[in-house]
Amino acid sequence: MFTISTVTFYLHPKLRKQAEHGKQNFIAKISKVLEEAGMHIAFDGDDSFARLRALARPGRGIFLMDPPVNDRSLTMRKTYLFPFWHIEKQAERWEWPVARSIFDPATVDDSKAANFHRFWQKRLFDDAVHDISDGGFVYVPLQGQLTTHRSFQYCSPVDMIRAVLRHDPDRPIIATMHPSETYPAEDQEALEKLTADHDRLYIRSGNADRYLRGCDYIVTQNSGVGFQGYFLSKPLILFGKSDFHHIALNVADIGVKAAFDAVQGHAPDYAAYLYWFLQEQAINAGRPDAQDQIAKVLRSHGWPV
């Protein structure tokens, strides 16, 4: 029975099964925090009917990546890498508090940042970190809806590629398709026309790590691949709103030409930023104090824990 003290997790079937059996670490820790505060845990699906049920139920809800249905619900989302997470009131990352926060590298402990950077660089890329180079090409990881200009974007992804071709007239450009996207005929035709008109443009799939290691810099709307490039000290140009914009060159802020003019000399403190963004701004579910972090975040959203 759902009551005012019930907190329901709305999850896709596979994750729901794992969570119900206590097999999902982050959800298990959230549940423990809530139960210790006297609340009861329930689970439901994440389809449109479940969202309608969420509106009608008393109590609170937590969604995975999807927008909360009311002011009694929140959304949780992996912060690009396990075990880092956020629990927020908005599904859009660029609306999160971290996106509006100011990054100051002077506030970050250099030694902790360097150790954190080395650990995660090794964990993500293993011995491939020894193959990092400036290979003379631009890497453009694509997402979906290539011919559509969405509200969080400076321009459509296809127009973004055109901008790269125009402002970097010499380097080869490797654009990769997102493995989870299904591209309609209109998008495929637009890419085919671009590759026919520009012999420097190559469309590929897979091998993101290879292209990250070898590129001179990265251009994307707000793909998490651009964030991964920070671990390899790769400069990033963003054409869309993002939560990890702080050390990127944002065309919406400085203009397209200025971003490309600055990219070659762009060398922010990547280690300090990664430590600040992940260890200080996100919840690290692998740390012994993860439940304290979760409780603090929930209290900041007005939950009685």
Side-chain angles (χ1 to χ4, degrees):
M1 180 178 179
F2 293 87
T3 69
I4 195 170
S5 64
T6 301
V7 178
T8 305
F9 288 89
Y10 296 89
L11 309 168
H12 61 76
K14 182 179 179 181
L15 185 59
R16 177 182 177 180
K17 184 176 180 180
Q18 292 175 343
E20 286 178 328
H21 290 87
K23 301 297 185 182
Q24 210 293 329
N25 178 53
F26 187 55
I27 294 174
K29 291 188 175 183
I30 298 174
S31 298
K32 190 169 183 180
V33 170
L34 296 170
E35 287 170 338
E36 288 178 354
M39 300 183 191
H40 306 286
I41 304 302
F43 298 94
D44 201 345
D46 64 347
D47 59 18
S48 57
F49 294 106
R51 292 182 67 81
L52 289 173
R53 290 192 291 271
L55 281 169
R57 283 173 179 152
R60 302 171 186 270
I62 298 179
F63 293 83
L64 176 66
M65 297 173 60
D66 291 330
V69 296
N70 53 36
D71 59 7
R72 292 178 286 107
S73 55
L74 300 169
T75 188
M76 63 180 187
R77 185 166 185 160
K78 181 182 70 172
T79 313
Y80 303 104
L81 309 172
F82 289 116
F84 301 99
W85 293 81
H86 272 261
I87 303 173
E88 302 291 353
K89 293 180 178 179
Q90 309 93 350
E92 297 82 6
R93 294 180 189 264
W94 53 90
E95 298 292 343
W96 289 358
V98 64
R100 299 191 296 272
S101 298
I102 296 173
F103 165 62
D104 180 0
T107 66
V108 179
D109 184 293
D110 289 341
S111 178
K112 289 181 179 179
N115 290 336
F116 183 84
H117 185 227
R118 280 193 297 270
F119 174 84
W120 279 100
Q121 191 181 65
K122 175 70 173 177
R123 183 164 177 173
L124 290 173
F125 299 99
D126 200 21
D127 290 338
V129 297
H130 303 300
D131 298 327
I132 302 171
S133 64
D134 294 333
F137 66 90
V138 183
Y139 179 29
V140 183
L142 297 171
Q143 293 154 284
Q145 302 185 42
L146 303 183
T147 56
T148 302
H149 179 191
R150 290 185 275 178
S151 60
F152 64 90
Q153 298 172 327
Y154 181 83
C155 62
S156 73
V158 164
D159 284 337
M160 175 181 70
I161 295 175
R162 292 191 180 103
V164 182
L165 289 162
R166 183 167 61 255
H167 290 278
D168 195 326
D170 300 316
R171 289 180 180 84
I173 297 158
I174 298 177
T176 53
M177 312 289 275
H178 194 287
S180 299
E181 291 285 347
T182 299
Y183 294 93
E186 181 182 6
D187 285 359
Q188 296 180 44
E189 290 168 3
L191 290 180
E192 289 170 3
K193 185 177 188 309
L194 279 174
T195 54
D197 293 341
H198 302 276
D199 58 9
R200 293 187 295 119
L201 175 62
Y202 303 88
I203 308 299
R204 298 287 186 265
S205 59
N207 290 315
D209 287 359
R210 171 190 171 190
Y211 300 130
L212 280 174
R213 294 195 310 270
C215 68
D216 287 356
Y217 62 93
I218 303 163
V219 180
T220 188
Q221 294 284 353
N222 60 7
S223 169
V225 176
F227 177 76
Q228 288 190 39
Y230 288 162
F231 288 94
L232 302 178
S233 300
K234 297 294 183 176
L236 174 64
I237 295 177
L238 288 174
F239 273 73
K241 296 179 181 178
S242 170
D243 54 330
F244 56 86
H245 62 85
H246 307 80
I247 61 169
L249 297 164
N250 297 277
V251 299
D253 294 337
I254 63 174
V256 178
K257 183 179 185 302
F260 281 92
D261 287 346
V263 70
Q264 283 304 105
H266 190 58
D269 191 335
Y270 293 102
Y273 182 74
L274 290 165
Y275 186 87
W276 175 82
F277 186 85
L278 292 171
Q279 198 77 315
E280 295 185 357
Q281 301 298 312
I283 299 168
N284 183 343
R287 287 176 58 167
D289 65 344
Q291 287 178 214
D292 292 336
Q293 293 182 46
I294 291 166
K296 180 179 179 181
V297 169
L298 292 176
R299 282 195 295 270
S300 75
H301 293 313
W303 285 33
V305 298

